[in-house]
Amino acid sequence: MSSDTRRNPIRIGTRGSLLATTQAGTVRDALIAAGHPAELVIIKTAGDLSAAPVLEIGVGVFTTAIRQALTADEVDVAIHSYKDLPTAPEPGLVIAAIPPREDPRDALVAAGGKVLGELLPGATVGTSAPRRAAQLRALGLGLEIRPLRGNLDSRLGKVASGELDAVVVARAGLVRIGRTDEVTEALDPVQMLPAPAQGALAVECREDDAQLVSILAELDDPSTRAAIDAERAVLTALEAGCTAPIGAMAEVVESIDESGRIFTELSLRATVVAEDGSDSVRASVVGPVSRATELGRELAAELLELGAKKLL
């Protein structure tokens, strides 16, 4: 894009839900604060137009329409919940920034302020994700898992109305829309590993727009990018999509060597769970931050050796 048109506001494509516009708004505000005028452009996606489960509508349900608008030069930037993106890269587009990640954990919102261990056998728990459903079943609590679609407000409303005893959603979404007070338990990753890239945003633009790539790169958080690269590498190496029952979580952590020197490493853990919760495999690895993608591939290979393929 020429410097001439850059005088116009940077057009940021986003879904129209409260969560999506709030997420995109953080990027818009950061760009404006850095001296780059920016505005949101609302785009309808297949996920907004259908109440069917994501498994039925297909991978890319929340992202395809926004990417098409970006390719067609209807917008300059696309903002995605990174966990919704297909693992294959999109030709001609680049993830120019991954801002600092919000809390990646899953959250329970239950009637009566209950935590997971207080839900009685037969309690109805809503979730849209096969990964969450599989991990909930694997806990052996006898819960009745119900499919759940809709925006965050409508999901939480099913608990408030008594239609469901509880729902499990991404805690990051509740943080972003200011409703963390409704969380009755942030689920420990030992109980439930989050989806790869959960809580992270992907800020995408056309790769031939060098000026904009440079502007957006200022919003990138290297530690978050390393964690996401590792988690997504697990998903890619397992040849699984964003709806598969796979949990992964990476963190940049401080370690200390024998001479007392403090250095940073990447800690990555992942799990593959049978959809009915009857079996699972889990593994972890620690290594240099610079080898994030390789660590993800190595961990996926270990999971496959442990029998992950038959669980997918």
Side-chain angles (χ1 to χ4, degrees), residues 196-255:
Q198 186 159 297
L201 300 181
V203 182
E204 191 173 46
C205 69
R206 292 179 293 279
E207 64 183 354
D208 63 1
D209 191 346
Q211 183 188 7
L212 186 54
V213 170
S214 174
I215 288 169
L216 295 174
E218 296 168 18
L219 308 180
D220 192 65
D221 180 61
S223 293
T224 298
R225 185 176 282 270
I228 301 312
D229 285 348
E231 293 167 14
R232 297 271 294 181
V234 173
L235 206 54
T236 304
L238 291 174
E239 297 180 344
C242 59
T243 59
I246 295 168
M249 183 173 165
E251 298 169 283
V252 175
V253 296
E254 284 192 346
S255 299

Side-chain angles (χ1 to χ4, degrees), residues 94-120:
V94 63
I95 308 294
I98 309 174
R101 184 185 209 168
E102 194 46 81
D103 187 343
R105 292 176 295 173
D106 288 300
L108 182 78
V109 177
K114 289 186 172 71
V115 297
L116 196 57
E118 293 172 333
L119 294 176
L120 298 175

Side-chain angles (χ1 to χ4, degrees), residues 28 39 45 52 66 85-86 107 118 139 141 153 184 216 228 274:
R28 175 200 59 205
E39 63 187 20
T45 72
I66 298 174
L85 283 180
E118 293 172 333
L139 293 172
L141 301 173
D153 198 48
T184 54
L216 295 174
I228 301 312

Side-chain angles (χ1 to χ4, degrees), residues 135-157:
Q135 291 190 81
L136 283 169
R137 292 185 184 111
L139 293 172
L141 301 173
L143 304 171
E144 186 185 325
I145 312 302
R146 299 264 185 90
L148 185 68
R149 274 292 313 280
N151 60 37
L152 262 179
D153 198 48
S154 68
R155 293 182 194 199
L156 298 175

Side-chain angles (χ1 to χ4, degrees), residues 71-85:
T71 302
D73 196 17
E74 293 164 11
V75 296
D76 306 305
V77 178
I79 309 295
H80 312 282
S81 288
Y82 210 142
K83 71 182 176 67
D84 293 336
L85 283 180

